[in-house]
Amino acid sequence: MTQPLIEIRSAPHVQGPKSVETIMRHVVYSLLPICAFYVFQYGISALASILVVTAACLFAERYFVRTGTQAGRLSDYSAVITGLLLALTLPPGFPLWMGAVAGLVAIALGKALFGGIGFNVFNPALVGRAFVQAAFPTAIATYTPSFLAGRFTEFIPSSLAWPLMIPADAAIWLKAKNLDALAGATPLAKWKFDGVLANAGDLLTSLSGNMAVGPAPVLILVCGAYLALRRFMDWRIPLAIIGSAALTAWLLYAFDGVRYPNPFFMLFSGGLILGAVYMATDMATSPVTPKGMWVYGALIGLLTVVIRYYSGLPEGVMYAILIANAASPLIERITQPVPFGRGVLDRAKKRATYPLNPGYISREEASAVTPKKRFLPKKPKK
Amino acid sequence: MTEPSGPSVSASRVIPIAVGGATPPVPPASPTAGMIRTLGLVSAICGLIIVGAYEGTYDAVAANKRIATERAVFKVIPAAKSIAEYVALPGGGIEPRVGAGDTAPGGVKFFAAYDAGGKLAGIAAEGGAKGYADTVRIMFGYSPDCQCVVGIGVVAMRETPGIGDKIITDKNFLANFTALDVKLKGDLSALANEVRAVKHGAKTSPWQVDAIAGATITSRAVGRAINDSAQVLLPRLVPNLDKLRSKS
Amino acid sequence: MNPSAADTWDEFMEGVWRQNPTFVMILGMCPTLAVTVSVVNALSMGISTMLVLIASCGLVSMMRNITPKEVRIAVYIVIIATFVTVVDYAIQAISLALYDALGAFIQLIVVNCIILGRAEAHAAKNPPLPAMINAAGMGIGFTIGLLALGVVREILGAGTLFGVALFGAGFQPWVIMVLPPGGFFVLGAWLLFFSWLERRKLRRQQAKLVEATQNA
């Protein structure tokens, strides 16, 4: 394939130092410490999971780019980000073959279907996770405790399930390690089904006890701050999500402190921080208008808390972000900034009009006036 | 053809359309008598076909339904060889159920199952409660000798495959229903202890149902279905058990 | 093949392949997505629809000369509803389990647009025999469509084919395949496959044309 000599683009023609590739590369850099922490927590199972899922994403990306189904290049790092994020949202002992399925589906359904990088409507990593959540609900709810003794020499048995086969039961393995089955439940599941509340401070660092949690929220926040300071990510969205989730949770907590947990538990449990910093900020799937970002973030925070409290699922970040992804074109529409010099009063009319593509109008229609209704003249005139 | 209005209707229709210009003239309408004749003919033919099909399949359908019910009852009361249908009336008392119509308002349908010797082997009844996706309808077998539930079977459910439908396959869960205590209070007005599902591993009493870990909602629905149905049925049934002792 | 036999074959194959109701016309999506969780369900739904299609097209065609156009839809619906009722009874008589599995979708055959479409577009304009042959082709095409979905969804969703386990006891079912989204995914994948076939055929034709012009 030869590179085109002349690229025809619309203005502006000034090229900034930040290309898609640079941004994506820095996102990958900032994800590396988080992945390292995850491996530190769960050992070789987590490492294998990250490698397999990322490899599956890259494989799918390469196939679809090669066949011309989707735009972009393999070297733009976007598939790597998808793979790393997807692996971080899956349980560490998730069977590797299911992880591969998730990676393939993430790129195929979440990205290639829409035309590749920049065209996707939903965050590809979350599309992959939603698929395996629906396909393998048992496996994806099976967590194991972190910081187990032999984690760097021994795989979690469910990781190594044969393709298409049911993974080994983690509860038996835990029993052999003298841990009860409850040790494998996430703090959110423990709260939802057993009413046990974890300490928010412990959740923030993920270090104390053998909690079944993802990488430390505080580390994710630091990595996110790096991205925001280097302007590789907009700080508004994470702030809006965290703020609105905290506000909603706090209001409910103030309303009934027994039934609802405290807002800090809500913020630091589950994948809220990871979702807020890395998934909701995906450039292609979030609004570009500053006001829209606030609305979008607030929507995610609110939905997350509502799903966690009132649905059958313990965790709601994934569906909240996917729903907000779907809503983001609409949010962009209603938050268009007013051009400079134009008063608020003569802003465009509220009623949306869709310019019709001339190709859709047939010749008869183009010259047609509204046809008279045929049944009217039939009435006998009095 | 004898309808006088026919031609005038079609004539008045053609003229205004012509004003539109491009529209082709509509062909004249068909006479009403013709329409009625055709519709009558079609209805007669179709009626005959339906009646024929109904008559032809009636016996087979009824037999199928009976077999399905028997199979469900035999599953929860393994000793059973034949069944009889009864209704427990709202004011207390029971009566045999005849015909396939709806039961009287407030009546509860149940099946008395008899073993090969014609002795009462157990009572089977249906119950339903809201599960995760939809109502879980189950059939349970009641043994008058131990005053307990001796088996359950699922009649209809739409629970998540792989999670909720463990209530059919999970051996530990089904072990709850080998002798689930549903004794009545001394005055026979209600169950002595409410049947309810408890968290996995927390079962302490014979009237509790040990839920499946991860399928708590469906397990609770099963417990509630048994409880709701037994609360209504058993107070009416137990005083009349002697009527059912042997096959009539 | 003599010309009339070729015509008949053409009439028949229209529904099976060229105008396949599921994959080309995208008709009758309601049962296609809803009852294809297993091959047996898909097959029985397809056969039921085919029987209704053939019988009602035959009757519609026989009555085509005495059906006034104002009441034709009413006539078609009554005829279709009749045969649906017959099939409904027949399935109850054959197997209650199957009847429960297919649920309301047997009765919903009445409003299946394939049948009404065939009655209006073909049976009402042709003599009974060609009408029934065409209907049979459409019915088989629809059955093939349902089976294509049913096979994939049963293999992945339950690890079985016609209820026979393919992978042994340790198979991990893909729950999503027996849920409604699975129907959409599998249908989408099949549509993708057929559109790819179509485009490949077109490309080859164009290549041949180019070659022919160059040779000339």
Side-chain angles (χ1 to χ4, degrees), chain C residues 28-49:
Chain C
M29 284 299 107
C30 177
T32 306
L33 294 168
V35 300
T36 52
V37 288
S38 74
V39 177
V40 174
N41 286 6
L43 193 63
S44 18
M45 187 72 206
I47 290 174
S48 312
T49 312

Side-chain angles (χ1 to χ4, degrees), chain A:
Chain A
M1 215 168 77
T2 52
Q3 289 292 322
L5 295 176
I6 305 170
E7 266 192 42
I8 299 170
R9 289 256 179 95
S10 60
H13 300 294
V14 182
Q15 205 177 1
K18 263 187 255 171
S19 63
V20 170
E21 198 194 310
T22 329
I23 298 176
M24 296 293 179
R25 205 172 58 229
H26 278 86
V27 175
V28 173
Y29 291 161
S30 78
L31 270 172
L32 288 178
I34 300 174
C35 292
F37 188 86
Y38 190 57
V39 174
F40 172 57
Q41 276 178 304
Y42 292 103
I44 45 175
S45 291
L47 182 66
S49 174
I50 290 174
L51 291 179
V52 167
V53 174
T54 313
C57 285
L58 285 171
F59 177 79
E61 177 97 345
R62 180 182 154 84
Y63 173 77
F64 288 116
V65 169
R66 269 285 182 87
T67 53
T69 317
Q70 76 173 64
R73 273 174 298 157
L74 203 55
S75 61
D76 64 16
Y77 286 97
S78 61
V80 180
I81 297 178
T82 302
L84 293 180
L85 283 177
L86 181 55
L88 288 176
T89 60
L90 295 172
F94 200 59
L96 295 175
W97 73 267
M98 292 182 191
V101 169
L104 294 176
V105 169
I107 297 295
L109 280 186
K111 205 167 165 195
L113 203 63
F114 296 99
I117 184 170
F119 296 102
N120 47 322
V121 178
F122 299 103
N123 186 318
L126 289 180
V127 171
R129 191 182 192 278
F131 184 89
V132 287
Q133 165 110 52
F136 315 115
T138 325
I140 207 156
T142 312
Y143 273 80
T144 46
S146 56
F147 301 115
L148 289 178
R151 64 185 185 279
F152 291 113
T153 50
E154 184 191 8
F155 275 101
I156 299 169
S158 53
S159 288
L160 298 177
W162 289 102
L164 296 182
M165 292 295 146
I166 295 176
D169 194 352
I172 297 169
W173 182 67
L174 288 176
K175 206 168 266 174
K177 287 188 168 295
N178 287 326
L179 291 158
D180 62 343
L182 261 182
T186 61
L188 273 173
K190 271 186 195 166
W191 161 72
K192 181 131 197 165
F193 300 123
D194 304 309
V196 183
L197 210 59
N199 182 355
D202 293 345
L203 288 173
L204 191 58
T205 56
S206 298
L207 284 171
S208 56
N210 295 342
M211 283 189 297
V213 290
V218 66
L219 180 68
I220 298 171
L221 286 173
V222 169
C223 294
Y226 163 76
L227 285 180
L229 289 175
R230 295 284 311 264
R231 296 281 188 272
F232 291 125
M233 175 186 89
D234 202 287
W235 53 273
R236 291 181 185 88
I237 293 173
L239 201 66
I241 294 174
I242 294 169
S244 101
L247 187 70
T248 318
W250 177 76
L251 280 177
L252 286 167
Y253 180 62
F255 176 68
D256 186 351
V258 182
R259 195 170 151 211
Y260 302 107
N262 70 60
F264 289 106
F265 172 77
M266 268 296 119
L267 282 189
F268 300 133
S269 58
L272 182 66
I273 298 289
L274 185 70
V277 174
Y278 281 100
M279 308 218 209
T281 51
D282 182 355
M283 291 176 185
T285 60
S286 57
V288 292
T289 56
K291 228 191 291 173
M293 288 180 184
W294 290 110
V295 176
Y296 169 83
L299 182 65
I300 293 175
L302 178 74
L303 281 175
T304 304
V305 176
V306 167
I307 294 174
R308 281 182 182 179
Y309 284 165
Y310 301 110
S311 81
L313 298 165
E315 174 62 301
V317 179
M318 174 179 74
Y319 289 119
I321 296 180
L322 287 174
I323 292 169
N325 282 167
S328 68
L330 194 70
I331 295 173
E332 257 177 25
R333 243 192 115 75
I334 57 171
T335 57
Q336 284 298 323
V338 183
F340 181 70
R342 198 162 169 202
V344 183
L345 288 175
D346 49 46
R347 197 188 293 188
K349 290 274 182 295
K350 275 278 163 57
R351 194 184 302 154
T353 53
Y354 295 90
L356 195 58
N357 186 333
Y360 297 151
I361 308 173
S362 66
R363 190 174 299 172
E364 288 87 349
E365 274 175 313
S367 60
V369 286
T370 314
K372 276 183 187 138
K373 283 187 178 162
R374 280 177 62 188
F375 57 83
L376 279 180
K378 259 191 271 172
K379 274 187 189 163
K381 279 182 187 123
K382 280 176 188 167

Side-chain angles (χ1 to χ4, degrees), chain C:
Chain C
M1 237 187 264
N2 59 45
S4 77
D7 276 357
T8 314
W9 180 246
D10 210 46
E11 196 105 288
F12 179 73
M13 286 310 284
E14 184 192 357
V16 176
W17 188 252
R18 271 181 296 118
Q19 292 290 318
N20 185 296
T22 311
F23 296 128
V24 180
M25 298 203 286
I26 327 265
L27 286 180
M29 284 299 107
C30 177
T32 306
L33 294 168
V35 300
T36 52
V37 288
S38 74
V39 177
V40 174
N41 286 6
L43 193 63
S44 18
M45 187 72 206
I47 290 174
S48 312
T49 312
M50 182 164 72
L51 291 179
V52 173
L53 193 54
I54 295 173
S56 46
C57 278
L59 195 54
V60 165
S61 171
M62 276 180 234
M63 304 203 52
R64 71 186 187 285
N65 291 328
I66 56 164
T67 309
K69 67 179 183 343
E70 284 87 350
V71 293
R72 64 183 196 285
I73 300 292
V75 169
Y76 300 159
I77 290 288
V78 169
I79 291 175
I80 295 167
T82 303
F83 289 110
V84 169
T85 314
V86 171
V87 166
D88 188 273
Y89 283 134
I91 291 181
Q92 278 189 60
I94 293 166
S95 158
L96 269 186
L98 185 63
Y99 185 73
D100 286 339
L102 297 180
F105 292 98
I106 289 293
Q107 286 95 317
L108 283 176
I109 297 177
V110 177
V111 288
N112 191 322
C113 38
I114 299 170
I115 301 178
L116 194 59
R118 275 299 99 185
E120 167 84 5
H122 195 276
K125 294 169 190 153
N126 289 285
L129 196 63
M132 284 165 82
I133 288 172
N134 184 274
M138 278 288 162
I140 289 175
F142 185 60
T143 311
I144 290 173
L146 291 183
L147 273 181
L149 264 80
V151 167
V152 175
R153 290 181 72 184
E154 188 175 338
I155 289 180
L156 284 180
T160 58
L161 196 61
F162 286 104
V164 181
L166 295 180
F167 302 99
F171 179 76
Q172 164 76 50
W174 298 41
V175 178
I176 195 172
M177 287 301 164
V178 296
L179 298 176
F184 284 99
F185 286 141
V186 176
L187 179 66
W190 277 113
L191 289 178
L192 201 66
F193 175 71
F194 281 108
S195 106
W196 175 74
L197 274 188
E198 185 68 20
R199 267 199 283 174
R200 196 181 61 162
K201 204 174 95 186
L202 215 68
R203 247 199 336 266
R204 287 199 177 155
Q205 277 173 357
Q206 279 171 347
K208 218 174 267 174
L209 213 68
V210 169
E211 210 170 275
T213 9
Q214 278 170 347
N215 288 345

Side-chain angles (χ1 to χ4, degrees), chain B residues 32-246:
Chain B
T32 311
M35 295 185 201
I36 293 173
R37 206 168 49 224
T38 309
L39 283 178
L41 181 64
V42 168
S43 311
I45 295 175
C46 292
L48 278 177
I49 294 176
I50 292 181
V51 170
Y54 182 74
E55 289 294 324
T57 56
Y58 183 83
D59 292 338
V61 171
N64 263 341
K65 283 189 174 150
R66 207 188 61 244
I67 291 170
T69 319
E70 277 181 356
R71 218 176 265 158
V73 173
F74 292 171
K75 188 168 170 287
V76 296
I77 306 170
K81 286 283 173 286
S82 64
I83 60 170
E85 265 184 82
Y86 283 91
V87 178
L89 300 170
I94 54 170
E95 65 175 25
R97 183 160 173 267
V98 280
D102 288 335
T103 50
V108 181
K109 198 172 73 170
F110 67 93
F111 304 94
Y114 298 95
D115 63 12
K119 269 179 63 201
L120 185 67
I123 306 288
E126 280 187 22
K130 178 95 181 68
Y132 188 75
D134 198 1
T135 304
V136 179
R137 286 180 55 224
I138 57 154
M139 180 168 273
F140 62 91
Y142 168 78
S143 160
D145 300 335
C146 72
Q147 297 203 28
C148 57
V149 170
V150 290
I152 62 161
V154 173
V155 179
M157 69 164 177
R158 307 183 78 85
E159 303 298 283
T160 320
I163 300 179
D165 67 359
K166 276 192 201 152
I167 57 168
I168 309 178
T169 52
D170 193 296
K171 284 199 180 62
N172 292 330
F173 183 71
L174 291 178
N176 284 310
F177 306 103
T178 49
L180 184 76
D181 183 70
V182 285
K183 274 194 194 66
L184 288 175
K185 273 188 206 157
D187 62 351
L188 301 182
S189 63
L191 297 189
N193 304 290
E194 211 172 275
V195 174
R196 61 167 59 230
V198 295
K199 212 168 62 189
H200 181 66
K203 173 170 174 157
T204 51
S205 318
W207 54 84
Q208 285 175 332
V209 175
D210 190 12
I212 303 169
T216 319
I217 297 175
T218 312
S219 310
R220 274 195 201 131
V222 173
R224 224 172 32 246
I226 293 176
N227 183 57
D228 294 354
S229 177
Q231 293 280 21
V232 177
L233 174 68
L234 293 185
R236 299 177 194 173
L237 170 72
V238 173
N240 298 303
L241 266 179
D242 287 336
K243 287 190 204 164
L244 299 171
R245 283 293 172 203
S246 59

